[in-house]
Amino acid sequence: MKFNCGEAEARKRAASIRALGLDVDGVLSDGRLYFTSAGEEMKAFHALDGHGLKMLMQAGLQVAIITSRSSPVLERRSKDLGITHLYQGAEDKLAALADFLAVAGLETSQFCFVGDDLMDLPVLQAAGLACSVPGGHEDVRSRVHIVTSAPGGKGAVREITDFLLRCQQAYDQFLPP
């Protein structure tokens, strides 16, 4: 992980996070768009990311997905993971964030967001902890608190979930005895 704000500051911010928000393409997936010859969209998701999200929810944190695209594949993945806060087709991601925070009863300081492109900047700038991935746009990577070591779609989300759990002293409960 690269800490743009310093590791101590990132850990302090992470300790008060109560919800994680995610973009999809480039964060939960590798950012490439796959289409079958019939025009159906396909996405690949990493199992480590999914398990990290489940652990985060078991620890009491909420998860929201906020994406400008819409995809039946994402709807299925969200359902499989138990993520109920799914904002697809969110052209105004800041409005989606405001809706989520109102429903969840949280402040922006309690919200962490992982994004990778310019349309994510308003949400990243509002978040208490802003994160990106190595393949994210340089104007995004330079404005966030944390840039993961793992690429989007290849464990970046797990890196963030583990970091949040460790900073909240909740990680060890998931280790086998």
Side-chain angles (χ1 to χ4, degrees):
M1 277 188 169
K2 177 184 173 198
F3 299 98
N4 289 341
C5 65
E7 186 173 351
E9 177 64 20
R11 288 184 179 284
K12 178 182 169 188
R13 288 173 177 269
S16 63
I17 296 301
R18 302 305 313 143
L20 173 64
L22 304 165
D23 179 40
V24 177
D25 296 319
V27 174
L28 271 173
S29 76
D30 65 9
R32 295 183 289 174
L33 302 176
Y34 300 89
F35 296 94
T36 67
S37 59
E40 295 175 347
E41 185 176 9
M42 298 184 304
K43 293 182 185 296
F45 300 103
H46 203 292
L48 285 176
D49 292 343
H51 188 67
L53 291 168
K54 284 184 174 184
M55 291 188 323
L56 203 66
M57 290 184 284
Q58 287 173 16
L61 279 78
Q62 297 185 60
V63 175
I65 294 176
I66 302 174
T67 178
S68 58
R69 294 180 48 83
S70 293
S71 165
V73 174
L74 177 60
E75 198 167 316
R76 163 100 188 263
R77 181 67 172 150
S78 298
K79 184 178 178 184
D80 288 349
L81 294 174
I83 298 170
T84 58
H85 303 288
L86 176 59
Y87 296 86
Q88 294 197 79
E91 294 298 325
D92 183 349
K93 290 188 176 190
L94 206 50
L97 171 62
D99 182 72
F100 169 70
L101 292 175
V103 168
L106 298 173
E107 301 292 324
T108 54
S109 63
Q110 298 172 298
F111 182 73
C112 173
F113 190 69
V114 187
D116 69 326
D117 209 345
L118 300 178
M119 73 279 287
D120 297 318
L121 277 176
V123 176
L124 288 164
Q125 291 171 332
L129 182 63
C131 307
S132 191
V133 295
H137 191 281
E138 77 175 67
D139 286 331
V140 173
R141 291 190 327 266
S142 67
R143 288 173 169 80
V144 296
H145 302 109
I146 296 172
V147 177
T148 63
S149 298
K154 297 183 179 179
V157 170
R158 180 60 175 271
E159 204 172 316
I160 296 299
T161 60
D162 285 358
F163 179 73
L164 291 172
L165 290 168
R166 284 187 173 111
C167 290
Q168 296 185 14
Q169 294 359 192
Y171 183 80
D172 288 350
Q173 69 181 306
F174 298 106
L175 296 173

